Amino acid sequence: MRPSLLDPLFAPITSLEGVGPKVATMIEKVVPADLGDRSARVGDLLFVLPHSVIDRRNRPGIALAAEGAIVTLEVRIDRHQPPPRGNRSVPYRVYAHDDTGEIALTFFHAHAAYLEKQMPVGEHVVVSGRMEWFNGRPSMVHPDHIAPLSDAASLPLVEPVYPLTAGLSGKVLRRAIGQALGRLPELPDWLDPTVAKKHSFPAFAAALERLHDPSDPIDLSPEGAAWRRLAYDEFLAGQLSLALTRTHVRRLSGRPLKGDGRIEDAIRKALPYSLTGSQEFALAEINADLAEPERMLRLLQGDVGSGKTVVALLAMARAVEAGGQAALMAPTEILARQHLATITPLAERAGLKVAILTGREKGRERSATLAGLEDGSIDMVVGTHALFQEPVKFRDLVLAVVDEQHRFGVHQRLAITAKGDAPDMLVMTATPIPRTLVLTAFGDMDVSRLTEKPAGRRPIRTVTLPLDRLDELIGRISDAVAEGQKVYWICPLVEESEEIKLTSAEDRFAILKQEFGDIVGLVHGRMKGAEKDEAMRAFKEGETKILVATTVIEVGVDVPDATIMVIEHAERFGLAQLHQLRGRVGRGDKPSSCVLLYKDPLGETAKKRLSVMRDTEDGFLISEEDLKLRGEGELLGTRQSGTPGFQVARIEFHADLLEVARDDARLILARDPDLQTERGQALRVLLYLFGRDEAVRLLRAG
């Protein structure tokens, strides 16, 4: 049960004064919590943090106030000048002065009686707002604050500025947040006193108070003690919930999977090459995990083309040797079919039966696959998330391999868990993830890294080219195609959009088709599955030599004789994505190149991004740079996918706290696995505060 102490924070925001359904909908747009299908609660408002402040301590006097500056002035009211009767387009002006000069306070669509009451002639008042100068005359349009001199002390001197959305005013949001802070109950402290002391963390309530009511702009720095305290709380909640998931998942005891090695040997013999040192090392780690009675939860990180699929296949072979079935799940159909094409010939040489299951298999074919999985005649199955939907039953699923994990959240991991008798799990990703993010998204897993490229892979030469040299590029491509080379041409959009002036895939396809004729193909996300497969087949078999595509081809598409990758408007892509796309070439034995086409002028970040791409092919290095340039939410794509994006923490500022939180979480659970002690109970409150309710449920289920 949620502690009743938290009830005030779990009330809907419509229980706050001045927040009706319409305002609530607008506030929900600025709440950083992942609301999913629930409405915003009072507690969510605590974490809507200001992004900057208005400093009203600037009091220069009228004549010395700079254009556009926010200033506070003490003035005497001289006269009111209402607009001519019947002409509402002329503003209402109130003239006032101080020792340095005169100013017009300007109001559109004003209520005269209200203004006369606020600013009686002869009265001294304090006004605060943005200065504007017209023809040498100072003016302030709609001052933010007006108060009699006697109430000047009530003006907020340093005022927080919050993220807003259309229709939501700062005043309304500030009032709602103020009420939420007022409802914050006295909470037990969940911090380890030594951690709190070492980092000079203020108390939880004091940290919130300082951020929402700053007395100096420095109070709002993400590197200040108040923000760091809340970031640590959020990390601790996340690490605790991952550690609980891990404990729970391991407790659903797996079983030791030991094989005799004959299937693995048969597959190794069928391989046209031998494994790299890091593939052998990763495989040894995986096999050691499989042999243990606890469940395996392992992340296999490897750059594009480092040979993850083969490692996964050999692990799946071990599972089949032990008498069970294995499943490989990919995020897209293109990728699932490609894995099938890689795995089937090798598996069949070892006498295994492999099937595919995506949303596209229908009728008899689908029924036969479902029957084969249920009676155990199918040893391995490759598919999309269709594999883990209700009607699919396995005779004995012992190993689930999930490719490109960041596309699937922790919840999907748990859904897979439910399919077999707690199958071992191997998760693969070609998105090189910086160490800090591995901790946040995969803190519940052990990690293996593939750091070498397979033998025979050639480095890829990367060049940057401005769009105005396009003709030159087309000439060079014409020569390359004549020599039998194949080209990917990536565009950021499917069709031209009004707002963004970019060449879309469809336009580029039309232009290149005029130049090269029928050897140009097109593939994008809006095509039907069968059309995409047909376009990929034609390119693979050489019927087309130039494939114009959107980023659908980013993950895992394998055409070994494609040697040129053109990325149009490269400045619009993130580093990780550029790196993924570049990895589609350089898969054969011929030298390959990647051309990053950009539109001048380039912003600072875009320049930096393109130069990183030119300088290195090391995916892990690229991912660290990407993190610096973009922040964590973008990197994991979490803004869309519901994996752990953060409400308060900013990886780029708070990464050092992440390891501390992980160690703290592991230590707590080692000492108090059911969170029953006094600190354990306080930590339950923390888990609820940061929306980690599932973790508390696991405590009960455990």
Side-chain angles (χ1 to χ4, degrees), residues 466-625:
L467 268 166
D468 47 25
R469 289 173 59 189
L470 190 64
D471 294 349
E472 203 178 307
L473 175 66
I474 287 179
R476 297 210 330 243
I477 281 177
S478 183
D479 297 345
V481 169
E483 288 167 17
Q485 297 188 46
K486 286 186 193 168
V487 183
Y488 285 110
W489 192 301
I490 306 297
C491 299
L493 303 172
V494 178
E495 53 200 42
E496 189 168 340
S497 82
E498 282 305 306
E499 303 84 68
I500 324 173
K501 284 287 165 251
L502 301 179
T503 312
S504 72
E506 287 172 342
D507 294 343
R508 180 57 68 210
F509 170 68
I511 293 165
L512 291 173
K513 207 169 159 85
Q514 282 176 357
E515 183 78 30
F516 294 102
D518 289 342
I519 62 163
V520 186
L522 173 67
V523 63
H524 59 69
R526 293 205 199 141
M527 291 171 140
K528 293 195 171 71
E531 294 173 330
K532 281 190 230 175
D533 286 354
E534 174 50 32
M536 288 309 304
R537 184 204 59 76
F539 185 55
K540 214 166 179 161
E541 291 177 12
E543 291 164 25
T544 55
K545 302 273 195 229
I546 300 173
L547 184 64
V548 178
T550 53
T551 56
V552 283
I553 65 117
E554 116 188 40
V555 213
V557 178
D558 198 9
V559 180
D561 54 352
T563 53
I564 298 172
M565 167 65 72
V566 177
I567 304 173
E568 197 163 336
H569 287 285
E571 75 279 2
R572 306 207 43 110
F573 294 92
L575 267 173
Q577 205 176 20
L578 288 172
H579 180 64
Q580 287 270 6
L581 289 166
R582 173 169 65 183
R584 299 291 120 233
V585 295
R587 294 180 154 238
D589 47 11
K590 293 197 183 75
S592 293
S593 50
C594 173
V595 182
L596 304 174
L597 273 177
Y598 64 87
K599 186 166 173 37
D600 270 330
L602 279 181
E604 271 316 298
T605 306
K607 256 188 208 146
K608 185 97 179 47
R609 226 177 256 156
L610 298 185
S611 78
V612 169
M613 286 298 294
R614 251 197 336 252
D615 299 344
T616 179
E617 272 192 72
D618 179 335
F620 291 107
L621 195 75
I622 285 173
S623 73
E624 297 289 350
E625 285 299 324

Side-chain angles (χ1 to χ4, degrees), residues 42 46 162 176-185 205 208-209 212-213:
V42 170
L46 301 175
Y162 291 95
I177 291 171
Q179 291 180 69
L181 283 168
R183 291 195 189 182
L184 183 66
L208 281 170
E209 195 67 38
H212 288 293
D213 187 12

Side-chain angles (χ1 to χ4, degrees), residues 57 84 115 125 127 270 309 344 352 367 419 426 523 648:
R57 295 173 300 182
L115 290 176
V125 297
V127 294
T309 311
T344 309
L352 301 179
S367 306
K419 273 295 170 188
L426 177 67
V523 63
V648 178

Side-chain angles (χ1 to χ4, degrees), residues 392-456:
V392 184
K393 293 190 177 64
F394 291 85
R395 186 179 68 83
D396 187 13
L397 176 67
V398 293
L399 173 64
V401 181
V402 180
D403 192 21
E404 282 311 320
Q405 155 65 37
H406 67 287
R407 309 276 178 101
F408 306 104
V410 177
H411 304 297
Q412 281 108 319
R413 296 219 280 270
L414 293 172
I416 298 167
T417 302
K419 273 295 170 188
D421 183 17
D424 284 326
M425 195 173 294
L426 177 67
V427 160
M428 308 194 292
T429 176
T431 307
I433 305 172
R435 187 177 153 58
T436 41
L437 288 190
V438 168
L439 287 180
T440 58
F442 312 102
D444 54 335
M445 305 189 132
D446 299 304
V447 181
S448 298
R449 274 184 161 191
L450 296 180
T451 49
E452 306 165 64
K453 288 217 171 167

